[in-house]
Amino acid sequence: MTPAFLLNSSRLTKDFGIVVLSAMPMIENKGSTLLAAALNMKWYIAYLCTCVGSFLPTPFLLKQGGNLLDKLRRYPGAGKALNSVDAFVAKHPRFFKRHAYFSILVVISIPFTGIGIWAGCALCNLLGLEKKRSLWMITLAIIVSGLITTLTTYGIVIGVRSLKLLF
């Protein structure tokens, strides 16, 4: 898929491409918003597409993540690290009961940390957080992160375009 293909494609194809791209790990809504701005998509459509795409893998990751962690415990290095995290959580239950969900929300919603939905779901599974409440916090984090990323990206794009008009 070349950029020329995306530039000349229909709006539905661009929207679908942004949704698929934002569902990928490490790219998520941060990278897909940049592509949407480069494709001259309207900011609210880009925001909606990136939020939907970022949310799509979340229920699956929360549901299946525990199984993956159990498989990782079989390996000596990973098992030792996971057991030390479990011991830390068991040692400080009051802290995790009080602050874990809000911490997940803050860490995921700040787009400049590089930690996205995939890592947030892994953290929720690793810490043994309640799935339903984790899903709500991650959804809220997707909304906030998408809003921050979209407004920042489109603000910079509009600023650069207005500078072009001056010169």
Side-chain angles (χ1 to χ4, degrees):
M1 186 163 35
T2 62
F5 168 75
L6 281 174
L7 284 172
N8 298 326
S9 62
S10 69
R11 188 178 134 216
L12 185 63
T13 305
K14 290 178 188 178
D15 294 349
F16 181 72
I18 296 299
V19 168
V20 169
L21 187 67
S22 62
M24 293 183 183
M26 302 304 290
I27 297 172
E28 298 173 359
N29 66 1
K30 299 152 193 82
S32 56
T33 303
L34 291 170
L35 180 62
L39 293 174
N40 293 324
M41 290 177 66
K42 294 186 182 338
W43 69 269
Y44 51 89
I45 294 173
Y47 172 70
L48 182 66
C49 289
T50 58
C51 286
V52 168
S54 293
F55 178 77
L56 285 176
T58 304
F60 172 77
L61 292 171
L62 284 175
K63 185 175 181 181
Q64 298 300 324
N67 298 337
L68 295 173
L69 288 174
D70 290 339
K71 290 178 184 177
L72 274 176
R73 289 184 194 278
R74 297 179 190 157
Y75 296 102
K80 187 176 179 180
L82 292 174
N83 290 336
S84 66
V85 170
D86 290 340
F88 184 77
V89 171
K91 190 175 180 180
H92 305 286
R94 201 169 119 213
F95 172 81
F96 283 100
K97 185 177 182 180
R98 191 179 248 174
H99 302 293
Y101 296 102
F102 183 71
S103 300
I104 293 292
L105 169 74
V106 169
V107 167
I108 294 174
S109 66
I110 299 173
F112 310 113
T113 60
I115 295 187
I117 286 57
W118 289 68
C121 290
L123 278 172
C124 289
N125 289 324
L126 184 63
L127 297 175
L129 299 178
E130 182 187 333
K131 305 290 186 208
K132 190 173 185 178
R133 195 167 172 195
S134 297
L135 182 66
W136 281 108
M137 286 296 137
I138 291 172
T139 303
L140 187 58
I142 289 169
I143 292 167
V144 172
S145 175
L147 192 62
I148 292 170
T149 306
T150 303
L151 292 177
T152 304
T153 302
Y154 278 83
I156 291 171
V157 167
I158 289 169
V160 169
R161 287 183 182 159
S162 64
L163 281 176
K164 278 184 177 179
L165 295 175
L166 292 175
F167 296 107

